[in-house]
Every structure is written in structure tokens, then in C-alpha cells.
């Protein structure tokens, strides 16, 4: 079984779903203090906080050191909002996967749900994909569709996308980690 690290920055809802699905986590790494860390600590998970730094090279170097020290073989970026320097993809040979609230390659970037609504799509969704040096451009691992409803706001559509994301991420991790399905 692969050693999994989960990267977090916010509420930790994806982390909570991973834990609820009994997927073993070797370490939780955050780029700042956040509610996800409170949850991780209550679960008695090993926690690392990389100090608040706006220097992506410094943050990436610290992350690489943690991943190597913990012998991590798979990284799940679960709402991790910092940009990683391309060095991680050279120095850390194992998969780093992330999620995005659109059906990539459509609507990359931080305003994906808003952009989808502005464009007038009838179907949106979420993507689990392999991170690369190019933002939101890696190999697509899995996607889930979410129908856009009349009167949807960014918030209402994003809530429904998150529900699909919460279900999809543990399924993808189980497959990658060769864990049985319940």
C-alpha cells in the first residue's frame, strides 16, 4: 500500500471524506493554520505546517523534504491553494493528484465555477487529475458530471460539485492505492 500525504489549506472537507472512507494517511501537510489541521489533529494524524510563505520555491523545498522524510509515495492535494514550484515534479517522482471544480480541460483556474456559469454550460462537474508544472493541465484520472440548474449561483453549483468531489476522491485513492472497496 502506498504511503499517502494529503495537502490542505482550508476547511478540510475532502480530508474528512478520505478519513471517513478509512483510507490510511501517513501525513497531512498545510501551507497555513486552517480548520483542516484541527480535524487532522483530532484524528491523531501526523501534521506538518509549512510556514506562511509567499515564496513558492521555499514552500516547495519544505514540502519535498517532508515527503521524502515520510517516504510518501502518493500525494493528494485536497483544497491546497499554494502554487508549487516545478522542482517538485523533478525531485518527487511519485504521483501528485488534485481536484478541480470543472470538467477539465474546460475552465481551468481559480474561477472555474463562475466561468462555467458565465459561459452558459448545461453540465459542469469536477475532475481528479495528475498535477504537473502547468496548472490544471495534467492527465485526467476521473470526472463526475453535475447538471447546471436554472437559477444556479456560483455558490449553489459549487456546493453540488463539492458533493461529487467528496465521493470521487476516495474512490480514486482506493483504486490508486489498491485498497478494497467497501
Amino acid at each position: 500500500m502506498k504511503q499517502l500525504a494529503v495537502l490542505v489549506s482550508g476547511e478540510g472537507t475532502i480530508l474528512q471524506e478520505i478519513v471517513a472512507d478509512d483510507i490510511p494517511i501517513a501525513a497531512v501537510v498545510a501551507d497555513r493554520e486552517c480548520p483542516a489541521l484541527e480535524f487532522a489533529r483530532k484524528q491523531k494524524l501526523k501534521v506538518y505546517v509549512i510556514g506562511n510563505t509567499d515564496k513558492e520555491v521555499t514552500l516547495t523545498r519544505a514540502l519535498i523534504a517532508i515527503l521524502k522524510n515520510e517516504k510518501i509515495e502518493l500525494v493528494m492535494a485536497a483544497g491546497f491553494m499554494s502554487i508549487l514550484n516545478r522542482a517538485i515534479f523533478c525531485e518527487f517522482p511519485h504521483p501528485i493528484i488534485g481536484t478541480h471544480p470543472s470538467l477539465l480541460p474546460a475552465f481551468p483556474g481559480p474561477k472555474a465555477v463562475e466561468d462555467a456559469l458565465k459561459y452558459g454550460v448545461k453540465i459542469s462537474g469536477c475532475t481528479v487529475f495528475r498535477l504537473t508544472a502547468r496548472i490544471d493541465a495534467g492527465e485526467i484520472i476521473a470526472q463526475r458530471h453535475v447538471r447546471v440548474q436554472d437559477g444556479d449561483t456560483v455558490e449553489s453549483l459549487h456546493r453540488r460539485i463539492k458533493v461529487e468531489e467528496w465521493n470521487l476522491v476516495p474512490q480514486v485513492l482506493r483504486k490508486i492505492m489498491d485498497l478494497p472497496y467497501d
Side-chain angles (χ1 to χ4, degrees):
M1 179 175 36
K2 292 180 171 51
Q3 291 287 96
L4 172 67
V6 180
L7 309 183
V8 296
S9 293
E11 296 298 315
T13 54
I14 296 172
L15 174 63
Q16 291 172 30
E17 294 299 324
I18 294 168
V19 168
D21 209 53
D22 292 324
I23 296 172
I25 299 172
V28 175
V29 184
D31 56 354
R32 64 194 76 155
E33 284 294 330
C34 59
L37 287 180
E38 293 173 35
F39 173 79
R41 289 178 179 122
K42 286 179 184 171
Q43 299 299 311
K44 301 194 182 332
L45 297 171
K46 189 177 281 190
V47 169
Y48 292 91
V49 181
I50 300 172
N52 280 340
T53 178
D54 52 354
K55 303 219 185 270
E56 69 182 58
V57 172
T58 305
L59 181 133
T60 302
R61 291 275 174 229
L63 178 58
I64 291 168
I66 291 167
L67 298 176
K68 287 182 176 181
N69 184 58
E70 290 296 328
K71 297 178 176 45
I72 299 298
E73 300 167 285
L74 175 64
V75 175
M76 177 72 226
F80 189 69
M81 298 308 292
S82 289
I83 303 293
L84 296 173
N85 182 273
R86 67 182 44 240
I88 197 159
F89 304 104
C90 299
E91 296 181 35
F92 183 75
H94 304 291
I96 304 172
I97 59 177
T99 65
H100 188 72
S102 79
L103 297 173
L104 290 175
F107 309 111
K111 294 184 178 182
V113 178
E114 180 181 337
D115 292 345
L117 284 174
K118 283 182 182 175
Y119 194 79
V121 300
K122 300 299 180 199
I123 296 178
S124 187
C126 60
T127 303
V128 175
F129 66 106
R130 189 167 181 155
L131 271 61
T132 64
R134 290 186 49 228
I135 294 174
D136 298 336
E139 172 193 356
I140 294 169
I141 298 169
Q143 293 182 313
R144 284 275 174 87
H145 298 88
V146 175
R147 187 167 301 285
V148 177
Q149 299 173 356
D150 291 341
D152 255 338
T153 63
V154 170
E155 294 77 22
S156 65
L157 178 56
H158 202 183
R159 263 193 309 274
R160 289 198 320 284
I161 290 171
K162 283 183 178 187
V163 169
E164 292 302 322
E165 188 177 58
W166 297 336
N167 291 314
L168 184 59
V169 167
Q171 289 177 8
V172 168
L173 289 175
R174 280 195 170 284
K175 185 174 182 179
I176 292 172
M177 295 173 73
D178 292 325
L179 295 171
Y181 292 91
D182 292 338

